[in-house]
Amino acid sequence: MKYAEVAVNSPAAQRRSFCYSVPPQLNIEIGQAVWVPFGPRRLQGIIISFSDTPSFEETREIEGAITSSSLISSAHLELARWMSSYYLAPLFDCIAPMLPPGFERHVECFIEPACTAPVAADMDADEKRLLDWLELHKRARVREIEKEWGKKNAARMLRELLQRGLIKKTEQLSAVRIKPKTEQVLVLQPDALRGMTGRGMSTTSKQDQIVEFLRAAARPVAAADVRKQIKNTSAAVRALLQNGVIDIVEREIRRNPLERYSMEPGQAHVLTPGQEIAWREIHAALLSSEGTPLPFLLQGVTGSGKTEIYLEALSAVVAQGRTGICLVPEIALTPQTIQRFAARFGERIAVFHSDLSPGEQYDEWHRIARGECDVVIGPRSALFVPQPRLGLIVIDEEHEWTYKQTEKAPRYHARKVAIRLAELCRATVIMGSATPDVESYYLAQQQSYRLITLKERITVRGITPLPQIQLVDMRDELKSGNRGIFSRILRQNLIEVLGRRQQAILFLNRRGSASFARCLSCGYTVKCPRCLVPLHYHTAENKLICHHCSYRSMLPAACPDCGRTRISLYGAGTQKVEEEVRRLLPAARIARWDRDITVRRGVHQEIMNKLVRHDVDILIGTQMIAKGLDLPQVTLAGVVNADSGLNLPDFRAAERTFQLACQIAGRAGRGFAPGRVIIQTYTPQHYAIQAAARHDYESFYAGEIDYRSRLGYPPFSQLAGLVFSHGNAEVCGRETRRMLQLLEEQKQVQGYAGLRFIGPIPAMVPRLRGSYRWQIMLCGTALSLFLNSIKMPRGWLIDIDPVGVF
DNA sequence: AGCACGCCGACT
DNA sequence: GTCGGCGTGCTC
């Protein structure tokens, strides 16, 4: 007897696999998908290994194969196992992103009336109504009944009626939602053609027109295309089919997401001497065949030609007969990048992301699996496409936090997973950024990565210096009685830009903007007396709370610093900025670009087009506009509130602020006119602000790494976040305190030195979907290993290496 | 997730 | 007394 370890698609499975016996007649391999019995139902599972001895006493049998061959390569399976153990995530959840789109299917439950005559005596009115309703519908989904009668009520009634044998429960697999798309093709039958000519072609009947059209095309033509050329063809086509003149066959067609992008073939750029030096080093590593090369960290300011290096490297890998993956932070914001890739690789690229229709995803995945794509571009999930012979993974803008999955398990970081995957495939990794993640830069300093720097910025003006940055101390504005959003100098510059018929970008750091208290007189932000971090305002309790030590206080009536009673919750939204600009410059054409207005598909493109056509003078937006915009007419970039992000209860706040300020600075002066950047701040002395103003990554890094080492934050330690959610606030508090005690005990038992716990404190989002949320932070080393030894009850969520706050 | 079981408070 | 909420354990 043969046994198989199966990763089953059930939250109950968690990180375990389940052992099943393999029926002798069933021929299956590792990585194949199977149906397995699991409790009372059937689930999808993936075979992860075989053995001759069962790892469980009473195994059940695999019911059958879903696919005829393996879906997952051994490298990917190994990657999934590693992710499961490192991120403490269910094994199946780690495999799921590697499966073909539309693969996951669940069993639906149906209810139908049983044949037995109902005994009316012991039924209530609702139950009678339900039976009548079922009699009418014959067969209904449990979901529908729940919707009609309410979840709890439905569950109770169904249980009782089922027990009394008045209804039957049946199961059925949910329908396959994604299939290959096909079209009907008209094929001219060669011998039938002779008969036609014999009959004379003088008439221009519909039939003749169609035959003539097909003959001219000299190949099978889609019925839809014929219909487009010749109107009202259906009767004629039917007749031709009946007479055997043509045949109609189904042909599989590809849904091509690249059709949305224009694909003008582009020429390979000539590398500048600076790029040439960088490229030579990477090229040498790509050619070398000894083991896995060290990952590259390519540091270069906006416009220094990182993309050109990526393209060169991918071309070189493709020339070796291998393939590449290029990760981008957010696909919707990178049409220009995709266009450049399409120009270089033409049809042999694939775009893979969740905005594609399910059909497009399906087609792209299978194209990739067949080895038809040299390069796959996509967000973090594109890392898991079945790219054969993977030779290179590019991670563009590697510092971006979109590379961390936070909302669902596995809460992985694409950078870390990419490096692990590259090890397994002996592939190279190139990470690029103008402002590398401090942790990445540290690893480069430690020689774990190879650092390559591109220093020159290239625009249409040739090698161009970065735009001049001016810091504006907003406290001075307050002192001189200006309580507006804009400083006098920013106002002046906006007016000038409009006068010169150029464009401006106004950037607003909205994260946490309304959630801390600031004195309007002196600019002081209310801080925790114990931890000195800004207190965070929680609407639910109407209190300020410290996210380090749970200190609480009311909103102070007077400023603790200057004593005046001008404390208020600080924050200005994009709408407010827009109003202000309209008041200030009534003639300006303004566009707003943030999360609120970009839910609809195509809105990005709409705004982009307007900007390019110069139908917009001033663009106002949040983080979203900091990235990727390449508009030559933009000569002014204003950061309205550079330091509002600095006050977030997040040790990466300074890093974020620096990165955003640098990115914004990169937006201005990309055309023929030089650009200007104005940064408004209440803390001009802060090293992140100072460094950003000088475009000085090195000095930012020096300040930041010093801060991190003093506080023992990453890269000098590892973090893990534990979040507990529960409908009852009391239970939440109790359970998190119990967990903290358990953690402390385990720390003692296992002798973990240098491990500390922060919390329990309410999560940043203290209530979510009716549940209260509390969190505990762990700061130490080898946290996956440590947490592995702790039993996590229901309701806990684990985030290893969290980015941002919960 | 779903389901069964068992424990306590609120009622006929 | 018992109905039903909710916490807990189990699924190869």
Side-chain angles (χ1 to χ4, degrees):
Chain A
M1 200 60 168
K2 208 161 113 182
Y3 300 90
E5 290 297 322
V6 180
V8 293
N9 184 10
S10 163
Q14 285 302 315
R15 289 153 46 212
R16 289 174 300 162
S17 59
F18 283 72
C19 186
Y20 288 87
S21 44
V22 182
Q25 74 281 5
L26 191 67
N27 214 344
I28 45 171
E29 53 180 330
I30 286 174
Q32 206 167 324
V34 289
W35 286 113
V36 290
F38 196 74
R41 62 193 148 245
R42 299 157 81 203
L43 294 178
Q44 293 181 310
I46 302 293
I47 309 281
I48 57 168
S49 67
F50 291 115
S51 72
D52 295 324
T53 49
S55 65
F56 191 78
E57 284 152 43
E58 290 168 75
T59 57
R60 294 167 78 180
E61 263 193 357
I62 291 171
E63 284 184 7
I66 303 175
T67 54
S68 56
S69 60
S70 173
L71 287 172
I72 315 268
S73 73
S74 57
H76 277 94
L77 210 49
E78 185 53 41
L79 185 71
R81 289 169 118 147
W82 173 81
M83 284 169 72
S84 175
S85 68
Y86 183 83
Y87 291 106
L88 302 167
L91 185 54
F92 191 90
D93 290 357
C94 297
I95 297 174
M98 304 171 179
L99 296 170
F103 171 82
E104 275 182 73
R105 292 169 73 193
H106 54 272
V107 175
E108 283 180 310
C109 287
F110 288 85
I111 300 289
E112 46 192 303
C115 301
T116 35
V119 186
D122 53 351
M123 273 193 285
D124 61 37
D126 258 8
E127 287 176 347
K128 272 185 207 145
R129 265 183 48 230
L130 177 58
L131 276 184
D132 288 344
W133 190 83
L134 275 173
E135 210 58 58
L136 203 71
H137 285 73
K138 292 280 178 270
R139 213 165 108 88
R141 282 194 178 83
V142 173
R143 301 274 301 272
E144 290 173 71
I145 299 170
E146 281 175 348
K147 227 167 108 187
E148 198 86 6
W149 271 272
K151 205 161 181 165
K152 275 179 188 164
N153 200 19
R156 181 189 56 86
M157 290 197 293
L158 291 178
R159 196 169 52 236
E160 282 181 14
L161 293 173
L162 211 57
Q163 217 163 40
R164 273 181 271 160
L166 297 173
I167 54 172
K168 272 193 310 195
K169 197 172 180 178
T170 52
E171 291 181 344
Q172 195 186 315
L173 215 55
S174 61
V176 184
R177 294 225 315 284
I178 311 172
K179 289 182 193 135
K181 188 179 177 184
T182 58
E183 62 181 358
Q184 293 197 329
V185 184
L186 305 188
V187 187
L188 200 56
Q189 301 299 91
D191 31 333
L193 203 62
R194 253 177 283 124
M196 286 294 291
T197 31
R199 253 187 20 217
M201 295 290 287
S202 56
T203 57
T204 49
S205 71
K206 275 273 146 68
Q207 295 192 27
D208 291 338
Q209 281 181 38
I210 293 168
V211 170
E212 196 45 47
F213 185 74
L214 290 178
R215 193 165 39 186
R219 61 187 167 80
V221 177
D225 291 341
V226 175
R227 231 173 290 129
K228 238 180 267 168
Q229 293 296 319
I230 310 162
K231 302 287 170 214
N232 305 318
T233 53
S234 57
V237 166
R238 221 177 306 128
L240 288 169
L241 182 66
Q242 249 161 28
N243 296 334
V245 180
I246 61 165
D247 192 15
I248 296 182
V249 294
E250 291 280 321
R251 181 170 69 180
E252 205 174 298
I253 55 168
R254 176 185 162 213
R255 290 154 281 204
N256 185 3
L258 283 173
E259 274 168 8
R260 286 188 222 129
Y261 303 97
S262 70
M263 279 212 282
E264 292 141 29
Q267 67 284 42
H269 276 240
V270 179
L271 297 182
T272 63
Q275 289 172 335
E276 190 61 46
I277 294 166
W279 166 237
R280 240 178 272 145
E281 195 172 335
I282 293 173
H283 197 199
L286 288 174
L287 293 177
S288 132
S289 55
E290 338 163 355
T292 307
L294 280 185
F296 286 98
L297 179 60
L298 180 60
Q299 183 188 17
V301 294
T302 333
S304 61
K306 292 190 291 292
T307 308
E308 207 46 49
I309 302 275
Y310 304 155
L311 288 168
E312 285 293 323
L314 287 163
S315 297
V317 166
V318 170
Q320 292 170 351
R322 300 179 81 182
T323 61
I325 293 174
C326 178
L327 299 184
V328 291
E330 203 166 345
I331 205 96
L333 302 176
T334 41
Q336 287 158 329
T337 309
I338 294 170
Q339 237 130 42
R340 284 180 71 181
F341 275 72
R344 187 71 157 257
F345 295 100
E347 282 291 313
R348 291 195 63 84
I349 71 164
V351 182
F352 194 80
H353 57 98
S354 55
D355 273 3
L356 298 184
S357 72
E360 286 172 334
Q361 283 184 39
Y362 180 93
D363 291 357
E364 292 292 81
W365 194 92
H366 283 93
R367 264 180 79 221
I368 297 163
R370 287 194 299 267
E372 291 174 18
C373 307
D374 292 333
V375 177
V376 177
I377 310 172
R380 58 171 187 265
S381 58
L383 201 47
F384 303 111
V385 298
Q387 188 69 303
R389 304 178 311 280
L390 184 64
L392 174 65
I393 304 172
V394 171
I395 308 173
D396 190 25
E397 308 292 345
E398 62 86 37
H399 63 275
E400 285 291 338
W401 24 275
T402 48
Y403 285 126
K404 181 70 160 69
Q405 174 151 296
T406 51
E407 59 283 0
K408 61 167 191 251
R411 296 185 169 74
Y412 67 94
H413 199 299
R415 205 175 349 135
K416 194 158 192 116
V417 178
I419 289 169
R420 186 79 193 98
L421 177 61
E423 277 167 18
L424 291 164
C425 299
R426 293 174 161 257
T428 309
V429 174
I430 302 175
M431 298 172 272
S433 173
T435 52
D437 189 294
V438 166
E439 287 157 64
S440 298
Y441 202 77
Y442 177 79
L443 285 169
Q445 300 284 304
Q446 302 295 304
Q447 314 296 322
S448 295
Y449 299 161
R450 284 169 74 175
L451 182 67
I452 293 180
T453 312
L454 292 171
K455 293 219 165 61
E456 302 151 343
R457 183 193 197 217
I458 303 135
T459 69
V460 284
R461 284 171 283 156
I463 293 172
T464 317
L466 283 155
Q468 180 206 338
I469 298 180
Q470 180 165 7
L471 284 183
V472 179
D473 189 340
M474 291 303 276
R475 294 173 304 183
D476 293 343
E477 297 293 313
L478 284 178
K479 269 181 219 149
S480 46
N482 175 16
R483 300 228 167 82
I485 298 169
F486 300 124
S487 58
R488 288 156 296 179
I489 186 120
L490 180 55
R491 221 182 299 165
Q492 188 55 41
N493 272 276
L494 277 172
I495 293 165
E496 283 170 20
V497 163
L498 280 179
R500 288 198 303 268
R501 307 234 156 272
Q502 291 168 339
Q503 289 171 303
I505 289 180
L506 289 177
F507 172 81
L508 194 74
N509 195 348
R510 198 165 53 163
R511 283 181 73 244
S513 55
S515 47
F516 52 93
R518 168 175 286 166
C519 173
L520 285 181
S521 290
C522 69
Y524 176 80
T525 305
V526 181
K527 297 185 177 67
C528 173
R530 290 184 274 187
C531 311
L532 295 180
V533 295
L535 291 173
H536 211 263
Y537 177 70
H538 283 244
T539 327
E541 295 181 51
N542 189 27
K543 274 192 181 122
L544 296 167
I545 301 177
C546 172
H547 277 247
H548 276 209
C549 71
S550 344
Y551 169 86
R552 278 144 208 270
S553 83
M554 299 297 287
L555 270 171
C559 174
D561 208 37
C562 73
R564 269 180 276 181
T565 53
R566 296 203 49 89
I567 291 285
S568 88
L569 292 171
Y570 181 78
T574 41
Q575 292 101 321
K576 191 135 176 250
V577 173
E578 187 181 350
E579 280 165 33
E580 190 77 15
V581 178
R582 281 198 199 289
R583 216 169 43 80
L584 193 67
L585 303 158
R589 292 162 301 173
I590 302 165
R592 199 151 56 78
W593 191 343
D594 52 37
R595 285 249 183 258
D596 302 340
I597 60 152
T598 46
V599 276
R600 218 178 75 233
R601 206 190 231 187
V603 173
H604 286 299
Q605 202 57 46
E606 231 170 84
I607 301 178
M608 259 315 263
N609 292 344
K610 275 188 175 174
L611 285 165
V612 171
R613 286 199 309 266
H614 204 152
D615 287 345
V616 164
D617 302 311
I618 300 174
L619 176 67
I620 301 165
T622 54
Q623 265 87 327
M624 300 189 82
I625 61 164
K627 288 155 206 150
L629 283 183
D630 187 358
L631 297 162
Q633 283 299 308
V634 172
T635 53
L636 173 66
V639 184
V640 175
N641 54 349
D643 45 8
S644 79
L646 281 178
N647 295 304
L648 285 170
D650 180 352
F651 74 94
R652 274 184 261 255
E655 181 173 23
R656 291 271 163 79
T657 302
F658 175 76
Q659 288 165 350
L660 281 168
C662 287
Q663 273 175 13
I664 290 288
R667 296 307 114 214
R670 296 174 73 113
F672 289 101
R676 178 152 209 207
V677 181
I678 293 173
I679 296 180
Q680 302 191 150
T681 172
Y682 288 92
T683 49
Q685 74 285 0
H686 194 285
Y687 62 86
I689 304 280
Q690 282 288 328
R694 295 193 310 267
H695 304 286
D696 187 353
Y697 182 85
E698 294 286 332
S699 96
F700 160 73
Y701 176 77
E704 185 66 13
I705 206 74
D706 175 57
Y707 161 76
R708 302 271 181 103
S709 90
R710 276 187 290 115
L711 276 88
Y713 278 133
F716 301 100
S717 68
Q718 189 192 18
L719 293 186
L722 303 182
V723 181
F724 183 72
S725 39
H726 194 277
N728 184 327
E730 199 110 334
V731 177
C732 246
R734 202 168 49 228
E735 171 61 15
T736 40
R737 282 193 299 275
R738 188 195 70 84
M739 180 56 72
L740 184 66
Q741 201 182 342
L742 183 69
L743 291 169
E744 294 282 10
E745 272 166 31
Q746 277 300 307
K747 180 188 162 184
Q748 295 304 320
V749 170
Q750 298 184 27
Y752 253 83
L755 176 61
R756 62 202 161 102
F757 309 112
I758 302 163
I761 52 163
M764 263 290 273
V765 189
R767 279 201 83 171
L768 195 68
R769 287 184 285 274
S771 282
Y772 292 88
R773 289 149 49 87
W774 281 63
Q775 61 169 326
I776 297 173
M777 275 289 218
L778 281 73
C779 187
T781 49
L783 296 180
S784 307
L785 203 66
F786 175 71
L787 285 170
N788 196 23
S789 65
I790 286 155
K791 195 180 156 286
M792 288 286 163
R794 221 173 255 188
W796 280 101
L797 173 158
I798 304 176
D799 192 340
I800 301 290
D801 307 329
V803 165
V805 280
F806 295 99

